[in-house]
Amino acid sequence: MPETTQIDLGGVWSLASEGQSPDLSITIPGDVHSALQAQGVIPDPYFGKNEAAVQWVAHQDWKLTRTFQLDIADLAGSWYLDLDFVDTVATIRVNGEMVLECDNCFRRYRPDVSHFLLAGENTLDVILHSPVRAGKAVYDRQPFEIPWSRNCPIPYGNMLRKPACDFGWDWNIALAPSGLYGTVKLRKLDLARIEHVLVKQMHRPNGSVELDVAVTLFSMDPCVLPVDFELDGEKVRVQCGANAGETVVHQVFEIERPRLWWPAGSGEQALYNVDVTIPGDHARRQVGIRTVELLTDKDEAGSRFAFRVNGREIFCKGANWIPADALFSRTSPEKTEALLQSAVDANMNMIRIWGGGTYEQDWFYDACDRLGLMVWQDFMFACNLYPSLPDYLDNVAVEVDYQVRRLSHHASIVVWCGDNELVGALNWYECSKKDRDRYLVSYDRLNRTIEVAARKANSDVLWWPSSPSCGYLNFGDAWHADGSGDMHFWSVWHENESFDHYRTVKPRFCSEFGFQSYTSNLLVDGFSDKKDQNIASPVMEVHQKNVGGNERIAGTMFRYFRFPKDFPNFVYLSQIQQGLAIKTAVEYWRSLKPHCMGTIIWQLNDTWPVASWASLDYGGNWKAMHYQARRFFEPVNIFAIPSPDGSAIDMAMVNDRATLTEVTAEFFTVSMDGRRTPLTSARGTCRPDASSTLISIPADSIPDGSLLAWFFTASDGSSGRGHHVTGTYKQLELEPSGLSARTTRRADGSYEIALSSKGLALFVMIEASIEGRFSDNVFDLTAGESQTITFVPADSAAEAEFTIRDLYSCQTAD
C-alpha cells in the first residue's frame, strides 16, 4: 500500500451550535450561512427583508467536525495542518487537543500536529467563534476609544483581521459570515516543504532579463535534498543543504529576448511558468516579464501620478473590485473570472482591489495576469480607526509578509497601497477629531508596520501609503486635492452636486468616484414580490445601504429628466443617469491627459442584489453603465466638453494608442422628430498617448429644440458616435420614437433582435427576462435608422422575452 502523504480535508463536515439540530452539516470550503440556508435553518438572506432574520448566526460559535483515518505505518514523520482563509477567530483541536488558535483571515497557518495523531480514526474540530463577541473582546482591551466604521451595522469589525465589509457596508448586506474558504489539508513533511516562491526580475540595458527565483524551504531537521527548477522547459537541479527551520535557495535564469507582459489594450500578455519541485512538494508560479514605475515627479500643478509599464505611460481605465459575493459558498472561479472578463470587454485595463474586502485567492491573480488587468492592491484596511497595540501590529506584520510573498510575482499587481481612506477617517469620529494627534500617531504606527513588512518581504514592491493620498508622509485630507497623488471625488454623489461639477476638478488620478443606480428589473424580480416594487417600500430600502441613496437617485432624476411612469422604468432611468454621470467625469478627465492618467470607477461588481454604484449586476449581467463604459473607455474617441461659459462645445480627441491616429468626424443637429441636419465636419491627427481639441463648435449653431450628434472614424479602424444636450433632458420636447423590433431565435440558442426607429430614440435599452449578454445596448437611433443586436443567454436552452425602452417611452404613459 502506498504511503499516505496528504489528506484533503475538504468535503462534508458536521456543523453544530448551541440550540441547533444535531444533524447539521457544512461543505468545506464553505461558509456557515450558506450551509444553514441549504438545510432550511435560515431563509435566503438576500430575499426581501430576510437580512434581519439571520443576524443571530454571527452571534453564535459554530463547531465544525470531521474524522479521518491513518494507518499506524503512516504515523512516522512530521504531519501538519495546511490552512489558509480561515474566517476568522477559530480554535482547532485534533483528537480533543488544541493545536492552533487563529485570529487572522488573511494569514496561512501550518501547525505541527504529529504528536496528536492516532492510528485509526482521528477527529478534527474547528470552532469558529462569534466574530461579534471576539471583536468585542479585543475592543475592551484597547487603551483608548477606537470606534468602528459608520458603514457597519454590526460592530467591532475593525478589531479583527477579517474583511471589513463583512460587517455591512453602504452596498453590502451585514452578515459577518464565518467559514473555511481555502486550503484545508493534512500534509506529511518529507524532508522539507516549500513555504514561499519569490520571483524577482532584473532588466538589463541590452533587453535581456534575469529571473531570480528564491525558494524558501522549511524543514524540521537539517537535511540535504534536491531542488528542481524549471522555466518553460529549461531545467536545473540544485543539491541543497537545508537547516532546521527556513532556508532560502536561489536560482537565476537568463532570458535573452523576453516576451513582455502588457496591460490589456497595450500589447500581449506573455506569461512564463516557473516550477519548483522538491521530494514531496511542488509549486508553480505564473510570471509576466515587465517593468513598472509609479511616476510622482514634480510639475507645475504639483506632482504627477502615472504608471509607466515597459517604458510607456499607460492611462489607467478601470473600476474598483469588491468581493464577488457576500457569502463565499456562492462564488466560484468561473463566476469571478467572468466578472473580470467583463471588465476587459469594456476596455478596462485596471482594477483596484479595495481595502475593505479581501486579498483574493491565487487563481484570481492568475486570471488578471492572463487578461492583462493591472491590479492596484490595497492592504486590507478601510474607512476605520484601527488598534495599534504591539500584538495587533505583530499580527498585521505576519499577514503582510505572507501576502506579499504569496502574490508579488504576479505581473498584474502594479502597486501595493497601505489602506483605503484611513487618513480621512480621522475626521469622521468625535474622539479622533478632539485628539487628532493621538489617533494620527496610532495610524502612523499601523501604516509604517505595513510598509516595513511589505518592503522586508520584497524590496521591489511599488508602495503607495494610502488612498487617497497626496504622497509620502503627507497626512492631509487628499479627497478632493487635484494637484498631486490620487483622488477620491465624491461631491457629486454624497454632496448632491450636479454632473457638471466633475468638470471643476482636474485629478492626477481618480481612484474612486461613482454614482448609484438600481439593480436590474430582472434581479429586483428575484428578491422582491410585485407589491414591494416601489422605491419607498421597506424591501427596497433594505436593498439600499447608503443612507439617503434612494432619495438622491430620485432627486437627481427631477434635476435632469421627466419622472418615469412606473417602477420598471424608474429602474431603467436610474441606470441611464448613472451612466451619464460617470460618462461626464471620465470624458472630461480623459481629455486632460497627461495631467490626469487614471479613472477608476467605484465600483465594478456587487456582492448581492442591491442598489449601488456597480456597473455589473450581482451575478455579472451588464447594467446600462457597463455598456456605456465600453464606449467611453474606447482607446480612441472624441468627447463633447462644454466651455466653462457655455459659449462653445470643444470636441476633444483622445488617443490611448502608441501611434499617431487620424480622426474624421461628421457633426449634425437632430430635431425632436429624429431628422438629422448636417452641421460641419472635421479631421485631425492625435499624437500617441495624448489628447487634443479636434474642433470647437459654437453653442449657438445648435438650434433650439435640437441636440448635437456626431459620428467618427479613426485610422486604427475604430469608430463611434454620440450626442450632446445643452441643458437637461427634461427640457427636450421628445416625440414618439416609433421603435419596432423583430426577434429571431438562432440554432445555437442566441437571439437576433432587429430594431428600427421612425423618430428619435435616445438611450435605447433592451432588457431580457433571463441572464445573458447583448452585443450592444444603450444606444441612440435617429429617424430611419436600424440596428441589429445579438443576445446570448447564459443558459442556451432558456427562453427569453425582451422589453425595449427609450427615453420617450419611459416617461410618457401610452
Side-chain angles (χ1 to χ4, degrees):
M1 180 180 293
E3 179 187 12
T4 301
T5 59
Q6 74 172 23
I7 299 174
D8 188 339
L9 298 171
V12 178
W13 294 45
S14 68
L15 177 65
S17 186
E18 183 178 354
Q20 299 303 307
S21 168
D23 58 353
L24 295 177
S25 63
I26 182 172
T27 300
I28 297 299
D31 67 85
V32 171
H33 282 81
S34 295
L36 295 177
Q37 182 193 342
Q39 294 162 95
V41 178
I42 62 172
D44 180 357
Y46 295 0
F47 187 84
K49 298 183 290 182
N50 287 344
E51 178 182 4
V54 302
Q55 290 302 298
W56 63 271
V57 177
H59 289 262
Q60 295 197 198
D61 293 348
W62 294 91
K63 183 178 181 181
L64 287 61
T65 303
R66 69 154 292 162
T67 60
F68 58 90
Q69 299 286 328
L70 282 175
D71 291 335
I72 191 168
D74 294 326
L75 292 179
S78 298
W79 288 87
Y80 64 95
L81 281 174
D82 196 358
L83 303 167
D84 55 20
F85 292 95
V86 177
D87 187 10
T88 287
V89 179
T91 300
I92 299 178
R93 292 188 173 93
V94 174
N95 295 323
E97 300 290 336
M98 189 180 75
V99 298
L100 178 66
E101 288 189 305
C102 306
D103 61 355
N104 192 324
C105 186
F106 309 129
R107 287 174 55 178
R108 179 179 63 191
Y109 295 95
R110 288 181 158 182
D112 179 69
V113 296
S114 306
H115 301 299
F116 305 102
L117 299 176
L118 305 172
E121 184 173 87
N122 292 262
T123 300
L124 175 61
D125 294 320
V126 177
I127 300 173
L128 297 172
H129 298 286
S130 162
V132 184
R133 293 208 304 268
K136 177 65 161 57
V138 178
Y139 174 83
D140 288 341
R141 293 198 299 269
Q142 300 309 305
F144 52 84
E145 173 70 10
I146 302 182
W148 53 91
S149 172
R150 299 170 300 177
N151 285 327
C152 301
I154 300 178
Y156 312 121
N158 54 328
M159 299 294 107
L160 304 179
R161 298 308 302 137
K162 173 177 173 59
C165 65
D166 281 356
F167 296 82
W169 215 258
D170 56 5
W171 39 261
N172 198 28
I173 188 171
L175 296 176
S178 297
L180 304 177
Y181 307 149
T183 303
V184 187
K185 291 183 178 181
L186 179 69
R187 304 179 75 175
K188 190 172 188 178
L189 184 66
D190 194 352
L191 295 173
R193 69 178 182 234
I194 297 171
E195 289 288 84
H196 306 288
V197 178
L198 194 64
V199 183
K200 291 190 174 185
Q201 304 179 17
M202 290 156 282
H203 292 251
R204 303 303 187 194
N206 65 0
S208 67
V209 173
E210 288 186 359
L211 293 185
D212 178 13
V213 183
V215 180
T216 301
L217 304 176
F218 175 85
S219 178
M220 294 294 292
D221 302 299
C223 63
V224 177
L225 73 161
V227 183
D228 292 319
F229 297 86
E230 182 175 353
L231 172 66
D232 275 12
E234 180 183 351
K235 298 180 180 180
V236 177
R237 169 168 285 193
V238 176
Q239 288 295 129
C240 169
N243 300 315
E246 291 190 350
T247 302
V248 180
V249 185
H250 289 265
Q251 174 60 41
V252 176
F253 291 94
E254 182 169 351
I255 305 175
E256 292 184 3
R257 290 182 292 277
R259 295 175 292 116
L260 297 181
W261 182 93
W262 287 92
S266 296
E268 179 190 5
Q269 288 76 56
L271 295 168
Y272 294 80
N273 287 325
V274 174
D275 289 273
V276 180
T277 305
I278 63 173
D281 206 357
H282 169 262
R284 167 170 283 186
R285 299 292 181 263
Q286 180 178 269
V287 176
I289 296 175
R290 54 96 176 110
T291 61
V292 60
E293 304 162 82
L294 177 56
L295 308 178
T296 58
D297 45 301
K298 300 288 186 183
D299 63 9
E300 306 79 28
S303 299
R304 300 199 67 209
F305 193 99
F307 290 95
R308 185 158 60 199
V309 179
N310 299 329
R312 180 185 165 200
E313 292 185 25
I314 304 293
F315 191 98
C316 298
K317 302 175 291 189
N320 284 263
W321 174 267
I322 60 175
D325 204 293
L327 293 172
F328 171 83
S329 296
R330 300 191 182 204
T331 67
S332 72
E334 295 75 22
K335 291 178 182 178
T336 299
E337 184 157 352
L339 298 174
L340 298 173
Q341 182 67 59
S342 285
V344 175
D345 291 346
N347 292 303
M348 297 183 186
N349 60 13
M350 175 177 272
I351 57 168
R352 173 177 174 244
I353 299 181
W354 168 76
T358 188
Y359 310 94
E360 296 289 342
Q361 302 209 31
D362 296 307
W363 52 259
F364 179 98
Y365 300 92
D366 286 340
C368 291
D369 291 341
R370 292 193 304 271
L371 294 170
L373 277 172
M374 293 180 285
V375 173
W376 171 311
Q377 177 68 60
D378 278 1
F379 288 97
M380 292 300 118
F381 303 88
C383 304
N384 272 294
L385 306 182
Y386 284 91
S388 59
L389 290 177
D391 61 338
Y392 186 90
L393 297 182
D394 290 346
N395 196 0
V396 167
V398 175
E399 165 193 325
V400 171
D401 179 85
Y402 167 61
Q403 295 295 345
V404 171
R405 291 178 189 273
R406 177 173 76 98
L407 298 173
S408 59
H409 66 277
H410 286 282
S412 53
I413 299 180
V414 295
V415 67
W416 294 80
C417 178
D419 62 72
N420 174 81
E421 297 182 358
L422 263 58
V423 176
L426 295 172
N427 300 319
W428 299 346
Y429 306 98
E430 286 303 316
C431 59
S432 55
K433 286 191 289 186
K434 290 178 180 178
D435 192 359
R436 190 174 190 273
D437 288 349
R438 163 184 271 187
Y439 288 89
L440 180 58
V441 169
S442 181
Y443 165 74
D444 189 51
R445 286 188 187 129
L446 173 63
N447 192 253
R448 287 177 183 271
T449 296
I450 298 168
E451 180 181 7
V452 169
R455 294 191 187 279
K456 183 178 179 182
N458 184 353
S459 59
D460 291 346
V461 294
L462 207 56
W463 163 263
W464 187 245
S466 181
S467 183
S469 174
C470 288
Y472 306 104
L473 299 179
N474 186 313
F475 299 109
D477 186 347
W479 275 51
H480 296 166
D482 59 1
S484 303
D486 73 309
M487 171 194 286
H488 293 186
F489 192 71
W490 281 106
S491 290
V492 173
W493 174 256
H494 287 300
E495 298 169 25
N496 203 29
E497 297 284 357
S498 70
F499 297 167
D500 292 336
H501 194 65
Y502 283 122
R503 302 192 187 103
T504 67
V505 293
K506 298 180 178 181
R508 310 314 301 261
F509 191 108
C510 198
S511 46
E512 273 193 30
F513 63 104
F515 199 90
Q516 272 201 359
S517 74
Y518 269 76
T519 191
S520 68
N521 284 302
L522 176 64
L523 262 67
V524 170
D525 286 342
F527 71 72
S528 65
D529 297 322
K530 289 296 183 184
K531 66 180 178 63
D532 295 314
Q533 293 179 9
N534 182 293
I535 61 173
S537 77
V539 167
M540 299 311 294
E541 289 182 343
V542 166
H543 290 255
Q544 165 61 271
K545 295 302 183 183
N546 185 237
V547 176
N550 289 347
E551 295 96 316
R552 202 164 296 127
I553 291 172
T556 303
M557 279 188 194
F558 278 118
R559 179 183 292 174
Y560 290 105
F561 299 99
R562 301 184 187 189
F563 214 66
K565 62 187 179 185
D566 56 23
F567 180 79
N569 280 291
F570 175 85
V571 169
Y572 155 78
L573 194 54
S574 79
Q575 293 198 10
I576 298 303
Q577 86 173 0
Q578 177 192 33
L580 181 62
I582 301 309
K583 176 178 178 288
T584 302
V586 169
E587 292 185 346
Y588 178 60
W589 295 342
R590 285 189 70 190
S591 78
L592 301 176
K593 183 179 180 175
H595 174 91
C596 176
M597 286 299 290
T599 57
I600 310 300
I601 300 166
W602 186 270
Q603 67 215 56
L604 180 68
N605 56 307
D606 270 332
T607 57
W608 72 305
V610 65
S612 82
W613 299 269
S615 64
L616 298 175
D617 262 340
Y618 171 66
N621 282 336
W622 290 26
K623 292 165 73 173
M625 187 175 76
H626 208 77
Y627 289 101
Q628 293 165 290
R630 183 168 63 182
R631 288 193 282 273
F632 61 62
F633 276 150
E634 282 278 5
V636 176
N637 218 324
I638 64 173
F639 303 136
I641 311 295
S643 63
D645 63 3
S647 64
I649 302 162
D650 295 328
M651 301 303 303
M653 291 185 295
V654 177
N655 179 20
D656 289 341
R657 304 290 191 196
T659 56
L660 284 169
T661 302
E662 291 187 357
V663 174
T664 301
E666 299 291 334
F667 299 90
F668 41 91
T669 61
V670 182
S671 58
M672 294 301 96
D673 61 3
R675 289 179 298 172
R676 300 192 301 179
T677 302
L679 180 62
T680 188
S681 62
R683 175 176 294 179
T685 300
C686 197
R687 292 177 290 107
D689 287 318
S691 176
S692 60
T693 300
L694 174 64
I695 188 175
S696 184
I697 297 175
D700 58 13
S701 65
I702 304 167
D704 291 341
S706 295
L707 52 81
L708 175 67
W710 60 86
F711 176 81
F712 78 90
T713 58
S715 57
D716 70 339
S718 61
S719 62
R721 60 187 292 172
H723 77 257
H724 173 76
V725 170
T726 301
T728 61
Y729 286 90
K730 69 181 181 182
Q731 296 171 319
L732 300 178
E733 296 293 346
L734 295 171
E735 299 180 16
S737 58
L739 272 174
S740 61
R742 186 182 69 256
T743 302
T744 305
R745 186 77 185 266
R746 294 171 168 174
D748 62 1
S750 66
Y751 290 83
E752 186 177 275
I753 306 161
L755 291 168
S756 61
S757 181
K758 294 179 180 179
L760 176 60
L762 295 177
F763 305 118
V764 177
M765 184 171 175
I766 314 170
E767 295 179 0
S769 61
I770 59 175
E771 294 183 352
R773 173 86 64 86
F774 292 95
S775 59
D776 196 11
N777 218 338
V778 195
F779 48 82
D780 302 331
L781 293 173
T782 58
E785 282 193 306
S786 60
Q787 188 163 340
T788 299
I789 304 298
T790 301
F791 175 75
V792 179
D795 178 358
S796 61
E799 294 284 340
E801 296 181 355
F802 300 97
T803 302
I804 301 170
R805 307 185 194 276
D806 74 328
L807 186 57
Y808 174 83
S809 65
C810 97
Q811 58 193 17
T812 305
D814 295 332

